[in-house]
């Protein structure tokens, strides 16, 4: 039987993995695409743990690469449900890399994945609400509301088609672009 509400701690997931040469790019750093794959996996695990059902990635709202990850570092990813809607969940993920020889830890990445709970027929299903216990829980939830509202604005602006010529002049003066019609 599914709970109506769950504490955030009930769904948190932590994964650690040693970074190997096979995960690196041509510059000798861990490839961003590999990190994105790991982020998607932990977002899935966290969302599925919270909802109790299969979940899919609806969007990746933000991925901030802050510091490069080196071969041989131990990467730890921590995922948490920051916000829930009817069938969607915003999963916050923090990535840290540890030099296992020196013990130095650096924050490498923060990201936010929107996941949607699905039934076996692919229909969206209701997810449990969140029990907010700490000031950090409340802060993350409130920031997620703001993120959600900003996402709606971005989506609406992206689909606008009524640009005026004054905007074109601004684009040419401000950005490295030339308009030829």
């Amino acid at each position: 039987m599914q709970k109506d509400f769950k504490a955030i701690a009930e769904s948190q997931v932590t994964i650690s993995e040693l970074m190997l040469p096979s995960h690196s790019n041509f510059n000798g750093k861990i490839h961003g695409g590999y990190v994105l794959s790991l982020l998607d996996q932990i977002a899935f695990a966290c969302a599925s743990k919270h909802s109790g059902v299969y979940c899919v990635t609806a969007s990746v709202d933000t991925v901030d690469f802050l510091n490069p990850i080196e071969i041989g570092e131990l990467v730890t990813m921590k995922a948490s449900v920051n916000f829930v809607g009817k069938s969607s969940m915003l999963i916050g993920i923090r990535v840290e890399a540890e030099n296992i020889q020196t013990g130095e830890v650096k924050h490498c990445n923060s990201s936010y994945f929107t996941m949607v709970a699905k039934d076996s027929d692919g229909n969206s299903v209701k997810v449990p609400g969140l029990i907010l216990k700490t000031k950090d829980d409340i802060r993350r939830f409130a920031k997620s509301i703001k993120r959600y509202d900003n996402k709606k604005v971005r989506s609406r602006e992206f689909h606008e088609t009524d640009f005026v010529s004054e905007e074109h002049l601004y684009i040419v003066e401000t950005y490295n672009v030339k308009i030829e019609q």
Side-chain angles (χ1 to χ4, degrees):
M1 182 174 161
Q2 186 182 42
K3 295 180 180 180
D4 289 337
F5 292 89
K6 279 185 159 180
I8 291 171
E10 292 181 71
S11 305
Q12 288 176 322
V13 177
T14 300
I15 297 173
S16 294
E17 184 173 333
L18 185 65
M19 293 296 104
L20 304 174
S22 60
H23 305 141
S24 67
N25 60 24
F26 294 113
N27 199 29
K29 309 295 182 194
I30 299 307
H31 196 285
Y34 183 71
V35 175
L36 286 170
S37 172
L38 293 175
L39 291 169
D40 193 49
Q41 289 175 39
I42 195 168
F44 167 81
C46 184
S48 294
K49 193 172 178 183
H50 182 77
S51 66
V53 296
Y54 181 77
C55 294
V56 298
T57 305
S59 70
V60 180
D61 300 325
T62 305
V63 179
D64 294 321
F65 292 98
L66 306 172
N67 288 297
I69 300 170
E70 307 291 337
I71 295 168
E73 289 184 324
L74 183 64
V75 168
T76 300
M77 298 187 173
K78 300 172 185 177
S80 211
V81 179
N82 289 357
F83 173 86
V84 294
K86 292 177 186 162
S87 62
S88 65
M89 296 153 281
L90 183 69
I91 310 299
I93 308 167
R94 180 180 173 93
V95 179
E96 296 176 338
E98 178 184 0
N99 179 316
I100 56 177
Q101 295 171 330
T102 67
E104 180 187 347
V105 175
K106 61 186 174 185
H107 181 199
C108 295
N109 183 297
S110 289
S111 56
Y112 301 92
F113 279 59
T114 300
M115 307 296 289
V116 177
K118 299 287 187 175
D119 64 17
S120 59
D121 295 325
N123 299 310
S124 298
V125 296
K126 187 177 188 302
V127 299
L130 283 179
I131 300 170
L132 306 176
K133 293 185 175 185
T134 68
K135 287 182 180 180
D136 274 343
D137 293 347
I138 296 166
R139 179 183 53 79
R140 287 183 182 122
F141 192 88
K143 281 190 168 192
S144 296
I145 292 170
K146 195 170 197 172
R147 224 179 229 98
Y148 180 74
D149 291 342
N150 288 339
K151 185 178 176 182
K152 285 194 289 189
V153 170
R154 282 193 317 271
S155 179
R156 186 177 61 246
E157 288 173 349
F158 180 77
H159 291 95
E160 287 178 355
T161 57
D162 58 342
F163 295 107
V164 293
S165 60
E166 293 84 43
E167 282 191 47
H168 292 131
L169 181 59
Y170 168 76
I171 291 170
V172 172
E173 291 174 349
T174 307
Y175 298 98
N176 186 19
V177 66
K178 180 168 95 173
I179 297 176
E180 293 181 353
Q181 294 180 324

